[in-house]
């Protein structure tokens, strides 16, 4: 058995073994190179998660059915903000907020590059609606942007 290794360098080791049978004329090399080199970590993506493309992927019929009531609640909240009915707007946004945890995985997986804009506009609405005196302008801007993003996602083909 022959073992070759470099002094102090653990990056590469090669082992070669030669086996001889009882017949001296037959020599079978059992060369088994065993090279060990440092490897870079490999990023893996779970098979159940679709990669987020810049345009995102189209929604299935079931996903559209889940997102549509949420978008409707946002549209109704926006209409209420525009008409000055903050109580109704808060109620509709609360309805949307209750649906959001179930929708978040769909939005993240399918919205692609537009997801951060949707998330940011929803954060703007939450901040505007949660203050003692709701900021109708900021709430309206956030609702309009969120509705636009969700509509584009739902209507994507």
């Amino acid at each position: 058995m022959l073992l070759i290794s470099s002094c102090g360098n653990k990056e590469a080791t090669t082992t070669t073994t030669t086996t001889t049978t009882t017949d001296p004329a037959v020599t079978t090399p059992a060369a088994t190179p065993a090279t060990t080199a440092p490897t870079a970590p490999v990023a893996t993506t779970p098979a159940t998660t679709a990669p987020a493309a810049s345009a995102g992927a189209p929604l299935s019929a079931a996903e559209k059915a889940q997102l549509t009531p949420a978008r409707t609640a946002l549209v109704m909240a926006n209409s209420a903000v525009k008409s000055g009915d903050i109580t109704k707007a808060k109620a509709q946004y609360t309805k949307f907020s209750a649906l959001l945890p179930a929708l978040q995985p769909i939005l993240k997986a399918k919205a692609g590059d537009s997801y951060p804009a949707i998330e940011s506009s929803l954060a703007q609405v939450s901040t505007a609606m949660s203050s003692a005196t709701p900021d109708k302008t900021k709430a309206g801007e956030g609702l309009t942007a969120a509705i636009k993003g969700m509509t584009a996602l739902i209507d994507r083909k």
Side-chain angles (χ1 to χ4, degrees):
M1 178 165 136
L2 173 65
L3 174 62
I4 302 172
S5 70
S6 59
C7 296
N9 186 355
K10 295 184 180 180
E11 289 186 14
T13 304
T14 304
T15 305
T16 305
T17 307
T18 303
T19 307
T20 309
T21 62
T22 55
D23 183 359
V26 178
T27 303
T28 307
T32 310
T35 303
T36 308
T39 58
V42 177
T44 59
T45 303
T48 58
T49 305
S54 61
L59 297 175
S60 68
E63 291 167 332
K64 285 182 183 184
Q66 282 185 281
L67 286 176
T68 300
R71 180 183 57 179
T72 300
L74 290 177
V75 169
M76 293 177 74
N78 198 24
S79 295
V81 166
K82 288 179 182 177
S83 70
D85 190 349
I86 296 301
T87 304
K88 183 177 180 181
K90 283 185 174 186
Q92 288 301 318
Y93 192 72
T94 299
K95 182 178 178 180
F96 167 80
S97 295
L99 298 171
L100 188 58
L103 303 176
Q104 203 82 24
I106 297 169
L107 290 172
K108 284 182 180 179
K110 299 292 180 116
D113 288 346
S114 64
Y115 176 75
I118 294 170
E119 185 178 44
S120 175
S121 60
L122 293 174
Q124 179 179 341
V125 175
S126 291
T127 302
M129 296 289 239
S130 65
S131 65
T133 305
D135 185 337
K136 295 177 194 174
T137 303
K138 292 286 184 189
E141 290 170 357
L143 285 164
T144 299
I147 292 165
K148 182 180 175 184
M150 289 188 68
T151 299
L153 179 59
I154 291 170
D155 293 345
R156 184 177 299 145
K157 298 198 185 319

